[in-house]
Structures are given as structure tokens and as C-alpha cells.
Amino acid sequence: PTLWLARAIYSETKLPHEQELVAWVVRNRVETAYRGRRTYRAVVLDPYQFSAFNPGAAKRARYLRLQPEAPLPRWRQALWVARYVRHAEGRAYRPFPVETRHFYSERSMRGRAVPYWAERGGFVAPDPGRYAVDERRFRFFKQIS
């Protein structure tokens, strides 16, 4: 499970504070069995949920081959973040509610429309005292079905 979580967060961002937030979104999906997916692997490979793992995505094979011993500093950081988030217990560690299961990056969507689900609301801002997130890089949402 840690490997699958690390692959997902590494595919989305290389910045540690963003990796942590992305990891919580993935964990929230596992914990709430979002779209019937109950494992980290199933959540990550759920079609059209995480762009790097979409069928036919250019980098899909690269991310699927990543193993713990890969000598990439940001990858090793993603593994650490994945372990931390998977084993964090208690509400004090959560940056947002368990219903926060979506995010998108305006930066990565240049030339494309904002996801339809983002226009319906449910925006969640992580605690600004703990996280400094550029909203053009990541916006998080809760209660999206």
C-alpha cells in the first residue's frame, strides 16, 4: 500500500507539503471506499482519477516501475510521506475532512476547462498555519460524488 500511495503522490508533485496533501486525498478515498475502491492500488489505478495512471498516459509505465530502492531524492521523499500519512492516527494529523477526495491543479490544466465538479463548490483550504499552498498549483474539494 505504501508503494502505491508513494507512486500516486510522486506522480502529482515533487514538493513535500503538496505530497502530504495529495496523500491525504488518496487515503481519504481508500477509507471511504470512494467509487468502490478499497485499496491504495485500486484507488490509484481507478481510470481517469489520477492523470499519470490513465490508460495510455505517457508516464504511466515509468511510475508503475518505481520501486523503493530507486535512487531519486524526491521519490524517496514521497515514500517517507506515504509511510507517514498511511500510519498517522487521529484527527490532529488530518489537514482536511475525510470527505476531501478531490483536487486539481490549474497549472496542469492550461488550455483545458476547469473540471465540472470543481464548479459546484466544496472547496477546502488546508490549514494555512500548517500548509502554504499556491491555489494555482492545487485546490482541494470535499463532498464531490
Side-chain angles (χ1 to χ4, degrees):
T2 299
L3 183 58
W4 283 103
L5 179 56
R7 287 172 175 158
I9 62 179
Y10 184 71
S11 77
E12 295 291 340
T13 182
K14 308 305 183 261
L15 301 177
H17 63 286
E18 292 176 352
Q19 286 183 339
E20 182 181 345
L21 296 170
V22 168
W24 278 104
V25 167
V26 177
R27 178 176 166 172
N28 288 349
R29 286 183 176 212
V30 171
E31 288 182 353
T32 62
Y34 182 72
R35 293 172 42 111
R37 306 314 195 251
R38 290 177 168 77
T39 67
Y40 285 93
R41 181 182 187 278
V43 165
V44 171
L45 296 179
D46 192 7
Y48 305 103
Q49 298 301 299
F50 297 96
S51 59
F53 298 95
N54 287 344
K59 295 182 180 181
R60 178 182 166 109
R62 176 179 160 213
Y63 289 121
L64 290 175
R65 284 193 305 266
L66 282 170
Q67 294 297 319
E69 61 277 357
L72 306 165
R74 302 293 174 124
W75 165 243
R76 308 213 35 109
Q77 169 186 286
L79 282 167
W80 186 91
V81 170
R83 280 187 210 99
Y84 165 76
V85 169
R86 275 200 59 237
H87 298 288
E89 294 293 330
R91 289 180 46 189
Y93 292 99
R94 289 186 177 276
F96 31 60
V98 71
E99 299 84 14
T100 305
R101 298 180 300 227
H102 287 76
F103 63 85
Y104 84 93
S105 172
E106 177 184 310
R107 185 174 146 255
S108 68
M109 298 190 70
R110 288 186 187 124
R112 297 189 313 208
V114 170
Y116 72 91
W117 48 260
E119 295 174 353
R120 290 186 282 173
F123 173 75
V124 176
D127 178 357
R130 288 175 54 195
Y131 303 94
V133 180
D134 179 346
E135 287 185 15
R136 290 170 298 177
R137 288 187 51 84
F138 282 97
R139 292 184 192 164
F140 298 89
F141 295 83
K142 68 179 181 176
Q143 299 174 329
I144 305 293
S145 45

